[in-house]
Amino acid sequence: MMKNKPIALVLLVLLIFIHNTSGSSQDDQGQLQVGFYAKTCPDAEAIIHEVVRRAVVADPRNAAILLRLHFHDCFVEGCDGSILINNDLDGELKAAGNAGVTGFDIIEDAKARLESACPAVVSCADIVALAARDAVSLSNGPFYQVPTGRRDGRISKMSLAADLPDVDDSIEVQKSKFKQKGLSHKDLVLLSGGAHTIGVTACFFMQNRLYNFASRGGSDPAIHPLFLPELKAKCPLNGDVNVRIALDRTSQFIFDDQILYNIRSGFAVIASDARLNDDHDTRQVLNSYIGGSKGSNKTGPSFKEDFTAAMVNMGKIDVKTGSKGEIRRVCSAVN
Ligand code: HEM
């Protein structure tokens, strides 16, 4: 018995090897993987990065725009570039929940460059995911590896976007909408609260919070008394609802954890962020990051690291891989 042990071990290793290699071609087709374009379009990520870098240098607001675009893509029909389709009168882009979503020209610019470098290889869905990553890192946020290999969807319908999270959703509804997408309440805090460290909101989304909270006519009691007049001055009753104000009042263009402190202390700008402090579970998540990078709790989890893990989770929502979907020639229309 003892004498045969090394042979048995070698056989076992060989078997595992054969099993893994024979399965890998299938897996490669069916799963996202980091470096998916390494052989087919080696410069893909560099090309996208350069387009995003130029866009953010030209206008720093583009970083937030691209980050939001990825979220709105993933939450309707999965991360399949369906939000980019613009040839349909009742496409998902026309849904109320997608109001203000832009950044399409930047994605289309990257797509055009990729088509000349390696035609029909890189999906629009992957461009959106990689552009969001680059937007975060160019805003002083963390850089992370994005598993790629998404294919583009062919369906874009306004009705499918009815379930997008809404700024006035209760925390229960927010949690349930994230759960439906396979995301936890921790992902909710990291993604929703976390992403709002950059970017702006139109005063349109502040109306209920400031002047008709819970349809009762007043303001959200969660707003700090010192912050309420500031918000009201920026978004006056019957004022221009298209005026935009920073979601993180102290550092609109910098990806940092200040937003978490704001939310904890009544300085959240939009109602959905404020709700993260109302609930036991989500408040615990907020608390776990507060202090972590600012002194007292040095051993706590890292907001930036966990944010990137949550982004990777979001980027996996209902992806189309392998033989599903297509690689669009242009991002604004199906082939
Ligand atoms: C409960 C979930 C969420 C709600 C209700 C929500 C709501 C909003 C609203 C109302 C705005 C202002 C939009 C405008 O005025 O055009 C906004 C902006 C933004 N959202 Fe969210 N959001 C949520 C989750 C997320 C997630 C998961 C991400 C990304 C991971 C994200 C990224 C952004 C960014 C970056 C902006 C700024 C966009 C800009 O400056 O143009 N949001 N969000």
Side-chain angles (χ1 to χ4, degrees), residues 191-241:
L191 290 170
S192 175
H196 295 155
T197 176
I198 54 172
V200 288
T201 178
C203 285
F204 173 80
F205 295 106
M206 301 296 297
Q207 294 304 299
N208 289 342
R209 183 165 203 227
L210 293 178
Y211 304 109
N212 193 18
F213 182 67
S215 308
R216 288 198 296 263
S219 312
D220 181 351
I223 305 173
H224 193 288
L226 292 176
F227 193 33
L228 185 60
E230 184 183 321
L231 283 177
K232 283 188 165 176
K234 284 177 178 165
C235 294
L237 183 63
N238 302 326
D240 181 354
V241 291

Side-chain angles (χ1 to χ4, degrees), residues 26-69:
Q26 253 183 349
D27 287 348
D28 290 355
Q29 289 194 344
Q31 284 178 13
L32 302 182
Q33 60 183 75
V34 171
F36 183 83
Y37 300 111
K39 289 199 182 105
T40 50
C41 192
D43 292 334
E45 297 202 17
I47 291 171
I48 295 166
H49 184 272
E50 184 52 17
V51 169
V52 174
R53 193 192 63 77
R54 281 191 205 174
V56 172
V57 167
D59 185 347
R61 284 177 303 177
N62 282 328
I65 283 169
L66 289 170
L67 177 54
R68 184 171 183 231
L69 182 62

